[in-house]
Amino acid sequence: MSHHLISRRQMLAGTAAAGAVGLTGLPARAEVNWKKYSGTTLEVILAKGPRGDNLQKYIKEFTELTGIKVESEQIPEQQQRQKCVIELSSGKPSFDVVHLSYHVQKRQFEKGGWLADMSGYLKDPSLTPPDLVESDFSAAGLQYARNDKGQMFSLPWSVDYFILYYNKELFQKKGVEVPKTLEEMAVAAEKLTDPKEGIYGFVGRGLRNANMAMWTNFYLNFGGEFLDAKGNILTDGPEAVEATKLYQRLLTKSAPPGVAGFNWMESMASFTQGRSAMWIDADGWAPPLEDPAASRVVGKVGYTLVPAGPKGKFSSTYGDGIGIAAASKNKEAAYLLCQWVVSRGQGARLLQAGGGVPFRNSIVDDAEVAKGVKTKEWLQSVIDSAKISKLGLPAIIPVAEFRDIVGAALTATLSGADPATELKKAHEQFRPILERSEKA
């Protein structure tokens, strides 16, 4: 997509003085001393994706504004997470600013004390423009960014709601209606599947660990909760079994061969090639789907809510933040970068590109920003998803182990294993890990 309506001049003005017409609507205030750390060099580690692309594309503007040079690298998600843990736990990270995945790293980073407290910076007018206030972040963003004491150890950057992508052309050919419920979706997927033509009704994450992000949409909509009042994990109960039966049905009856090894990338490839009629995944994939150089379904994609289940209608929600390494020697300079990353100008660009949804309400609710979003249907799907959002993973320290173990159980069902048996085995393995972690 190439529909950014915010000019570079507007961006600089909006960031520096918080006074760009149409972006902030607030009077100019120039207390921020942008040049205070001119000459500083910052190192940034990013997870590869649209957010990192957005930062790197416009980072020259930040350097022009502040005189701060930024060196950044984008690394595939799993490797980036591993690298962050290794370096932060060493106490000598090679980076000042870190892109973190809240749904995986929040508790781990808090327990390690690896991030600098931003609470004071946010209240300092020499570092923070007047339009950047905590109350502008959504409740989910604040829930992610704050610790139990209300301190902010990162700034909420971008939220991922899971949505349903569907191929309008394939639906029209078969005379199939867009599903409103999970059961309707399974039936529709079977009608749309035609292996002789290489067409499949549904595609999604079958790969261990990665599959948890999609499965939890089913789990929540079957009425599932992750933890009880005492912090015990609950994802092997009847709601989980029913959600897993649906997962198994979709991916064994209506998905492409080899789906047990699919993450989002392989799923997206099948969808963009017009081989799969439906795909449930995070909301940030509109740019590649609508890119004529990478997709055969440009202009044919529908965007809508994840269908409702028998006991709920939720969109699994995940999120990313931007934080400062506690060991950084350039914390205030790093903070200037962090608040620029979540600025209204940068957030508007991210939204307008369809690459993600800012946590800041003032951006998502801005009619002027919305005018710059080319795919209105996509925008409406994320606005509607925000109203039914629910955290997609439990807030526990060993969330990676949770994803690995339960995710492996889900993948096993794609080879015919019984959902109830596999979930029970997985939780017998995981519960001691959770108990040790919480007691440590």
Side-chain angles (χ1 to χ4, degrees):
M1 291 185 176
S2 58
H3 43 275
H4 307 296
L5 296 186
I6 297 173
S7 70
R8 178 174 172 277
R9 184 177 178 183
Q10 281 178 311
M11 178 65 196
L12 284 170
T15 304
V21 175
L23 285 178
T24 69
L26 294 171
R29 196 177 79 168
E31 289 88 346
V32 176
N33 183 1
W34 294 101
K35 295 292 187 183
K36 184 176 181 180
Y37 295 101
S38 180
T40 301
T41 297
L42 296 174
E43 300 288 341
V44 183
I45 185 168
L46 300 162
K48 188 172 178 58
R51 301 169 187 83
D53 292 342
N54 193 49
L55 184 152
Q56 291 182 330
K57 184 174 182 179
Y58 299 104
I59 196 62
K60 288 183 180 177
E61 295 179 7
F62 175 76
T63 297
E64 187 175 321
L65 176 69
T66 63
I68 296 171
K69 183 179 178 183
V70 177
E71 301 286 350
S72 66
E73 61 174 343
Q74 290 196 63
I75 302 174
E77 185 178 84
Q78 296 298 331
Q79 292 95 311
Q80 190 260 5
R81 291 174 185 169
Q82 293 171 4
K83 182 178 172 68
C84 288
V85 170
I86 292 170
E87 294 203 19
L88 288 168
S89 61
S90 76
K92 297 180 179 178
S94 61
F95 46 84
D96 301 283
V97 174
V98 55
H99 173 186
L100 65 150
S101 300
Y102 284 132
H103 47 284
V104 176
Q105 297 167 314
K106 171 183 167 59
R107 290 289 308 279
Q108 184 182 34
F109 278 37
E110 286 178 359
K111 186 178 180 183
W114 294 336
L115 298 180
D117 183 3
M118 294 183 175
S119 306
Y121 299 153
L122 267 166
K123 298 171 184 173
D124 185 344
S126 72
L127 292 171
T128 302
D131 71 312
L132 180 58
V133 293
E134 287 189 32
S135 59
D136 192 27
F137 294 110
S138 70
L142 291 174
Q143 187 177 354
Y144 274 136
R146 287 173 173 163
N147 67 3
D148 294 342
K149 298 177 182 177
Q151 296 166 298
M152 294 279 284
F153 282 85
S154 60
L155 295 180
W157 187 358
S158 177
V159 58
D160 279 329
Y161 304 116
F162 265 51
I163 62 173
L164 173 65
Y165 301 90
Y166 64 97
N167 185 316
K168 294 179 179 178
E169 185 176 63
L170 294 178
F171 270 67
Q172 289 169 358
K173 281 183 179 178
K174 292 280 187 176
V176 175
E177 297 292 324
V178 178
K180 301 295 185 187
T181 69
L182 293 177
E183 175 60 25
E184 289 179 4
M185 184 173 73
V187 172
E190 289 159 17
K191 289 181 180 176
L192 290 159
T193 298
D194 187 350
K196 292 181 180 178
E197 296 294 326
I199 302 297
Y200 297 89
F202 186 86
V203 70
R205 305 178 185 203
L207 185 67
R208 162 188 161 176
N209 184 306
N211 52 9
M212 292 297 291
M214 185 179 79
W215 175 83
T216 56
N217 286 273
F218 305 159
Y219 179 59
L220 296 174
N221 287 338
F222 272 93
E225 297 287 346
F226 292 113
L227 302 169
D228 66 16
K230 296 181 179 179
N232 299 307
I233 199 78
L234 295 173
T235 46
D236 60 346
E239 299 86 1
V241 173
E242 293 306 310
T244 306
K245 286 179 180 177
L246 176 72
Y247 176 84
Q248 183 185 45
R249 176 181 172 186
L250 282 166
L251 295 194
T252 56
K253 286 190 173 182
S254 307
V259 73
F262 282 19
N263 198 341
W264 60 263
M265 186 177 295
E266 293 80 10
S267 301
M268 183 168 66
S270 177
F271 191 84
T272 55
Q273 292 306 304
R275 296 298 181 186
S276 293
M278 290 183 280
W279 175 35
I280 288 179
D281 213 283
D283 57 30
W285 305 123
L289 298 187
E290 303 292 350
D291 179 1
S295 173
R296 294 181 179 177
V297 295
V298 175
K300 302 174 184 176
V301 181
Y303 305 84
T304 190
L305 297 175
V306 171
K311 294 184 179 178
K313 185 173 184 178
F314 299 106
S315 169
S316 285
T317 301
Y318 307 88
D320 287 9
I322 192 87
I324 304 165
S328 171
K329 296 179 181 178
N330 303 300
K331 289 188 179 63
E332 290 198 356
Y335 175 75
L336 288 177
L337 175 61
C338 290
Q339 57 101 333
W340 176 83
V341 167
V342 303
S343 65
R344 296 189 65 179
Q346 278 297 95
R349 285 166 164 167
L350 186 67
L351 186 70
Q352 290 176 348
V357 182
F359 273 114
R360 294 183 64 178
N361 294 320
S362 62
I363 302 171
V364 178
D365 295 340
D366 190 323
E368 290 300 314
V369 173
K371 289 179 182 176
V373 179
K374 183 177 179 181
T375 311
K376 304 299 184 188
E377 195 176 333
W378 172 83
L379 179 61
Q380 192 60 52
S381 74
V382 298
I383 291 173
D384 292 342
S385 293
K387 299 172 184 173
I388 58 170
S389 65
K390 196 168 183 177
L391 298 191
L393 284 168
I396 55 176
I397 294 168
V399 70
E401 291 90 338
F402 173 73
R403 293 178 62 175
D404 279 345
I405 294 170
V406 181
L410 300 181
T411 301
T413 68
L414 304 184
S415 300
D418 175 61
T421 303
E422 291 301 314
L423 287 171
K424 183 178 180 182
K425 284 164 46 181
H427 285 76
E428 287 174 353
Q429 183 181 353
F430 177 69
R431 284 196 172 95
I433 296 173
L434 178 60
E435 289 172 5
R436 285 196 299 272
S437 170
E438 296 303 313
K439 290 177 181 177

